[in-house]
Amino acid sequence: YQTYHNLEIICVNDGSVDNSLQILEGFARKDSRVKVIDKPNSGAGETRNLGMKHVRGRYMCFVDSDDFVERNMIERLVDVAEEHGTDTVVFGMDTYDHVTGEFTPLEYAVSKEMIPVEKVFYAADIDNFYKYLVGFTVNKLYRSSFLLGLDLAFPKIGAHEDMPFTYLALSASKRTFYLDETLYHYRRSREGSLSDTTSNHYRYMFDALDCLRTELIDHNLWNDYERIFTNYALHMMIWKHQELDRPRKLEFRDTCRTKW
């Protein structure tokens, strides 16, 4: 449980086939702050979209079912958001190995050499911003009125769904603050975890980039972010090319030529 008590916990059961729903309902009976929503399986993006529709709190953040957080996470984030009047607070995270019990800093999530540490900033003022702050869904706190006011949803594209959502939100945020404290623990090596099932098929990456570009244009942010987006798209293509086997590399190159 969190040290910050004035909160709501929205748990969306995405068609689980174990006893997860019964466990959640047990928590809800014991604690009125817990709200359980049950739905057929449709994936992480649509599950988060449904959860957002039920948000009533002043601030909101996302926690994946595999992971866990520090007990003071919400208290620290709300304090920072209130003190600095932010739209968004980004914070530190690490990985937790379920087998070995080891915690490993996730240093690439935020490049401290390029992202202002514990200062308010506007993302467009940072060259190659998308490259230096990974678009994870989970290590951000948003002012609810700001995020919901964007009328933004996670796209249903198969993978990389967090990238266009998170980068659009960060791009629109006029006051972003990076809190250099590790408050979120991303679980690895658990059988059946969400992190084990993410597809690396490159077409999903193109779909995500298309979605981000469209959202930037639709939200009148393209003038501020065209260069940042273009450099990031090139960065992602180089990375994906390195990850593919030789037959896929040739197919990937042809797709880049025709699509981009």
Side-chain angles (χ1 to χ4, degrees):
Y1 283 97
Q2 290 290 300
T3 56
Y4 188 88
H5 298 292
N6 184 27
L7 51 77
E8 59 179 0
I9 304 170
I10 301 170
C11 304
V12 184
N13 181 60
D14 183 33
S16 64
V17 295
D18 54 16
N19 63 339
S20 295
L21 180 59
Q22 290 72 31
I23 293 172
L24 292 174
E25 290 174 338
F27 279 115
R29 285 192 294 270
K30 297 175 184 177
D31 192 332
S32 61
R33 299 175 301 173
V34 178
K35 181 173 185 176
V36 179
I37 302 167
D38 187 33
K39 59 182 275 297
N41 177 260
S42 60
E46 291 192 4
T47 299
R48 293 169 183 148
N49 290 337
L50 180 58
M52 284 194 293
K53 292 180 180 179
H54 293 266
V55 168
R56 296 172 298 169
R58 185 172 183 181
Y59 299 100
M60 60 185 292
C61 62
F62 300 91
V63 178
D64 285 347
S65 58
D66 299 331
D67 307 334
F68 60 104
V69 304
E70 290 293 306
R71 291 187 70 247
N72 68 333
M73 184 183 83
I74 300 299
E75 182 177 13
R76 285 290 297 128
L77 296 176
V78 170
D79 284 348
V80 168
E82 290 286 297
E83 179 182 355
H84 296 281
T86 63
D87 295 321
T88 309
V89 180
V90 180
F91 50 98
M93 60 187 295
D94 61 17
T95 63
Y96 172 73
D97 190 304
H98 183 76
V99 175
T100 66
E102 295 180 347
F103 293 87
T104 303
L106 204 61
E107 296 179 348
Y108 69 86
V110 179
S111 174
K112 298 177 187 178
E113 292 76 23
M114 305 303 297
I115 303 299
V117 178
E118 305 201 347
K119 295 180 181 178
V120 172
F121 64 88
Y122 177 47
D125 294 331
I126 301 172
D127 285 341
N128 295 322
F129 173 76
Y130 300 153
K131 181 179 177 180
Y132 296 122
L133 197 154
V134 178
F136 293 130
T137 302
V138 293
N139 65 326
K140 284 89 182 174
L141 177 88
Y142 300 102
R143 182 165 47 83
S144 297
S145 59
F146 157 73
L147 187 61
L148 297 176
L150 295 174
D151 194 24
L152 186 63
F154 289 90
K156 190 173 182 180
I157 54 178
H160 299 293
E161 294 170 338
D162 52 347
M163 181 247 282
F165 180 96
T166 303
Y167 282 148
L168 190 282
L170 290 171
S171 299
S173 174
K174 297 299 184 182
R175 295 185 61 81
T176 301
F177 187 95
Y178 170 52
L179 176 65
D180 188 18
E181 295 181 19
T182 301
L183 301 173
Y184 192 99
H185 307 293
Y186 178 73
R187 191 186 300 266
R188 291 190 181 276
S189 301
R190 185 178 70 78
E191 183 178 354
S193 76
L194 291 174
S195 60
D196 293 335
T197 60
T198 300
S199 170
N200 286 319
H201 197 288
Y202 69 80
R203 294 187 184 277
Y204 296 141
M205 182 197 73
F206 283 127
D207 291 342
L209 289 170
D210 276 340
C211 181
L212 175 57
R213 179 171 55 183
T214 298
E215 292 289 358
L216 289 170
I217 293 170
D218 289 348
H219 286 81
N220 297 317
L221 293 167
W222 186 245
N223 287 341
D224 283 355
Y225 288 94
E226 179 179 6
R227 177 184 172 87
I228 292 173
F229 171 85
T230 302
N231 288 342
Y232 177 70
L234 291 170
H235 166 74
M236 289 292 287
M237 290 176 196
I238 292 170
W239 166 74
K240 184 60 73 173
H241 184 265
Q242 293 171 341
E243 295 292 313
L244 296 171
D245 56 28
R246 181 169 177 77
R248 285 286 182 89
K249 285 183 189 294
L250 297 175
E251 181 183 296
F252 178 74
R253 292 173 193 171
D254 289 341
T255 303
C256 288
R257 292 189 185 101
T258 57
K259 189 175 182 61
W260 291 81

